[in-house]
Amino acid sequence: MKISDIPSHDSAAFFTLAHVCEPNDPLVNNALRTMRPGEVLAALAHGGLRRQRKNAFTDRLSQFNLERELEYTEHIGATFVTRGSVGWPRQLDSLEEESPWVLWSLGSADSRVLAVKSLAIVGTRNCTPYGQSVARHWAAEVATMGVTVVSGGALGIDIAAHQGALDADQPTVCVVASGVQARYPISNERVFARIIDNGVIVSESPPREAPRRQRFLTRNRIIAALTLGTLVIEASTRSGTASTATRAQALGRPVMGVPGSIYSPQSEGIHSMIVEGSAVLTPSIGSVLREIHCEVARATPEATVPDWRSLSQRDLDVWEALPRRGVCTVDSLPSVAHRTLSEVIASLTELEIRGMAKPRDNGWQRC
């Protein structure tokens, strides 16, 4: 790509930035606070933001081919959504300037829909049989209750959590530090294949990108922001899991910890977090669901649990705009849901029929 060909359209510019810059680059993020993505690209190309690295950037930019990368994404069956566009997970806006520029998805489900009601389950790679058992069993249990399990696809607790959700025939979201096509680690490929068939793999890095050490930490902010809360199962005192928990706490999301053996080094980190008050002791699945304000209920023939995953894009937008507590007026919803008044009214009718919204006190409330 020539400098003169830098795209001005926000979506194409974000897509280009993701290919030529490191994810969550603080310099780029800071520039995006006051500049459009196309302007940031142009400034980088001309050395306006980072003169000492202009040559390296222009080399990457000159080798980048927008059409080729778009075609490759389509070729492998992946999709992508750029920051602020239709279909963007609004939870990520809580990251403010650190929100990803692009999210690639590979799988049979919509990550945005799945993440609306989700729980992050994370922990050490070097887990004990106890930790692996808890992760797999609890993930299966919460998944059957309509809560999507989100994790990072790593060895140990992460992959056990994904397996638990899949054991229950429920979708799961895997946020990887590599691209969605260059999945890591290769030893987990069988589980990754199952996630693609019944869930989704997500990344902010382009599909062919290999993982780098820093990307494991930067992707943790996505896991924390996508979910209603983070459950830590086994973490040593120097575990990278702490970065996910710290991010979740900074975002005001509950952080929960499963107690382990006092003799196990793998539980020292989470025990310290519980003692310090940065994580809530959660000895049962019920306590986890209460922390993230999810009803403890199972779908049965006699009593069904409303499933937001079956909603249309229009109805999902309106449902997300409804408050969990208190009420809002119909007139206030169009601006929040980014829908017309007629669409809002039609959605509220559908949501009421499904038992997912109800009129109350001259307003509407999410059920």
Side-chain angles (χ1 to χ4, degrees):
M1 175 182 285
K2 299 178 181 178
I3 293 177
S4 58
D5 294 331
I6 288 175
S8 58
H9 188 275
D10 283 359
S11 184
F14 274 131
F15 189 87
T16 304
L17 274 174
H19 281 82
V20 300
C21 295
E22 185 65 21
N24 201 35
D25 185 306
L27 186 67
V28 175
N29 285 341
N30 185 60
L32 285 169
R33 298 173 69 178
T34 57
M35 301 167 67
R36 303 294 289 269
E39 295 172 333
V40 173
L41 273 172
L44 284 166
H46 290 95
L49 297 179
R50 193 173 0 213
R51 294 184 184 278
Q52 71 276 19
R53 295 176 62 184
K54 177 185 174 183
N55 291 338
F57 176 81
T58 52
D59 286 345
R60 290 194 298 272
L61 186 62
S62 64
Q63 296 169 17
F64 176 71
N65 185 301
L66 179 61
E67 291 301 322
R68 180 188 63 205
E69 297 304 329
L70 288 170
E71 289 174 1
Y72 181 74
T73 296
E74 183 177 4
H75 171 71
I76 64 173
T79 60
F80 73 92
V81 60
T82 57
R83 183 195 290 186
S85 61
V86 175
W88 182 254
R90 294 179 187 169
Q91 305 96 305
L92 295 179
D93 292 341
S94 61
L95 292 170
E96 298 178 341
E97 70 268 16
E98 289 192 280
S99 176
W101 309 322
V102 185
L103 280 185
W104 278 268
S105 298
L106 182 62
S108 59
D110 186 332
S111 60
R112 179 196 177 212
V113 175
L114 293 180
V116 168
K117 189 178 181 183
S118 61
L119 172 71
I121 300 181
V122 296
T124 181
R125 289 173 171 81
N126 185 30
C127 66
T128 67
Y130 162 79
Q132 183 181 48
S133 175
V134 172
R136 194 160 183 167
H137 174 66
W138 282 25
E141 286 289 307
V142 299
T144 59
M145 297 173 185
V147 178
T148 302
V149 172
V150 178
S151 198
L155 295 171
I157 297 299
D158 284 19
I159 206 67
H162 292 304
Q163 288 173 314
L166 294 169
D167 289 344
D169 293 323
Q170 298 298 319
T172 180
V173 177
C174 178
V175 185
V176 293
S178 61
V180 297
Q181 189 69 358
R183 299 177 290 276
Y184 177 87
I186 191 66
S187 58
N188 286 342
E189 187 55 36
R190 284 189 178 182
V191 182
F192 290 148
R194 291 179 65 197
I195 293 173
I196 292 171
D197 288 339
N198 191 21
V200 62
I201 295 177
V202 176
S203 177
E204 65 176 326
S205 295
R208 286 180 276 214
E209 283 289 306
R212 297 179 184 174
R213 182 185 294 259
Q214 181 60 28
R215 292 178 184 175
F216 286 97
L217 294 177
T218 56
R219 69 87 190 268
N220 287 346
R221 78 192 194 286
I222 299 175
I223 295 175
L226 272 179
T227 52
L228 297 175
T230 295
L231 176 66
V232 181
I233 302 174
E234 292 193 330
S236 61
T237 53
R238 302 184 65 180
S239 173
T241 301
S243 69
T244 308
T246 300
R247 283 285 188 169
Q249 187 178 39
L251 294 170
R253 315 284 169 82
V255 177
M256 298 146 282
V258 176
S261 169
I262 61 172
Y263 301 109
S264 173
Q266 286 89 337
S267 291
E268 288 178 356
I270 186 56
H271 288 168
S272 295
M273 293 169 64
I274 292 170
V275 171
E276 294 165 0
S278 56
V280 177
L281 175 66
T282 45
S284 67
I285 295 172
S287 60
V288 171
L289 296 177
R290 284 191 293 273
E291 285 294 326
I292 61 174
H293 305 293
C294 289
E295 293 183 5
V296 184
R298 293 176 180 273
T300 65
E302 294 79 19
T304 59
V305 177
D307 188 357
W308 70 97
R309 299 169 188 167
S310 63
L311 293 177
S312 67
Q313 186 68 57
R314 180 200 69 184
D315 294 344
L316 178 63
D317 289 341
V318 175
W319 186 77
E320 281 188 310
L322 290 170
R324 290 186 176 89
R325 297 178 181 178
V327 298
C328 64
T329 64
V330 174
D331 292 339
S332 68
L333 284 171
S335 61
V336 180
H338 303 293
R339 292 288 177 175
T340 65
L341 181 59
S342 61
E343 287 178 315
V344 166
I345 293 173
S347 289
L348 289 174
T349 301
E350 177 67 21
L351 292 169
E352 185 179 13
I353 292 172
R354 288 172 173 263
M356 301 180 71
K358 62 182 178 182
R360 181 184 173 190
D361 299 332
N362 298 318
W364 283 81
Q365 182 182 61
R366 184 192 302 188
C367 292

